């Protein structure tokens, strides 16, 4: 059993080479071309191939994914990749869920109607972003004048 971290900032599923050590690393076009990922702290890590796994979750659900093998510290499941595959991800204070898109469709419709009560993020290349405006203080307050 391994622990996989769901990562909303990961553009792809990534794992270190020692995970699922009984599976062979398969060479890919990305590994042949020397594709590199940028880790959270900014260091570059090389893609050395991939492993396709078939596992079973604690709940007994079969789960398959293809990890890009690189110098990651732990296996990461890309929320963006899961959503691209037709799933929806929900994060809460106590954890989260990945569910089929049909399950979430009505909830998402309600959220879209809740103006100024929910934060809508745009998915772009497996990463989720939102715009934030930060107003400047009035000129009179910037210089200590009242």
């Amino acid at each position: 059993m391994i622990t996989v971290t769901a990562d909303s900032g990961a553009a792809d599923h990534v794992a270190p080479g020692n995970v699922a050590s009984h599976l062979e690393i398969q060479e890919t076009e990305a590994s042949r071309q020397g594709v590199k990922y940028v880790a959270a702290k900014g260091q570059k890590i090389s893609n050395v191939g991939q492993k396709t796994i078939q596992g079973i979750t604690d709940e007994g659900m079969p789960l398959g994914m293809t990890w890009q093998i690189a110098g990651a510290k732990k296996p990461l499941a890309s929320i963006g990749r899961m959503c691209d595959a037709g799933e929806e991800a929900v994060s809460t204070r106590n954890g989260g869920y990945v569910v089929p898109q049909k399950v979430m469709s009505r909830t998402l419709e309600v959220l879209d109607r809740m103006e100024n009560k929910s934060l809508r993020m745009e998915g772009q290349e497996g990463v989720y972003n939102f715009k934030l405006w930060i107003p400047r203080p009035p000129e009179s307050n910037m210089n200590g004048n009242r």
Side-chain angles (χ1 to χ4, degrees):
M1 159 107 55
I2 62 168
T3 298
V4 179
T5 299
D7 190 338
S8 61
D12 215 335
H13 305 310
V14 180
N18 64 347
V19 172
S21 59
H22 61 287
L23 297 175
E24 200 171 308
I25 297 174
Q26 304 159 338
E27 187 178 51
T28 64
E29 192 61 35
S31 64
R32 283 189 291 274
Q33 291 181 1
V35 167
K36 294 187 185 320
Y37 297 106
V38 179
K41 292 183 180 178
Q43 71 270 30
K44 292 187 179 184
I45 53 176
S46 295
N47 178 315
V48 297
Q50 68 183 24
K51 288 184 182 181
T52 300
I53 61 103
Q54 295 295 322
I56 300 171
T57 67
D58 271 352
E59 297 78 22
M61 183 178 91
L63 179 66
M65 56 191 340
T66 300
W67 278 318
Q68 299 307 304
I69 304 302
K73 295 199 183 313
K74 58 186 176 182
L76 303 175
S78 166
I79 295 291
R81 284 279 184 243
M82 287 189 269
C83 290
D84 288 346
E87 305 295 326
E88 300 288 349
V90 179
S91 298
T92 71
R93 178 185 345 199
N94 298 318
Y97 300 87
V98 175
V99 298
Q101 193 172 25
K102 286 186 205 177
V103 171
M104 285 298 297
S105 61
R106 287 190 179 177
T107 302
L108 294 174
E109 288 172 13
V110 170
L111 289 173
D112 280 341
R113 290 192 303 265
M114 294 179 64
E115 291 184 31
N116 299 323
K117 301 225 189 283
S118 62
L119 173 64
R120 177 143 171 77
M121 295 180 280
E122 297 292 326
Q124 300 170 327
E125 298 179 20
V127 178
Y128 298 86
N129 303 296
F130 61 93
K131 301 261 191 255
L132 179 64
W133 296 93
I134 303 174
R136 293 184 183 275
E139 283 291 324
S140 60
N141 289 342
M142 287 180 59
N143 297 322
N145 301 332
R146 294 180 190 230

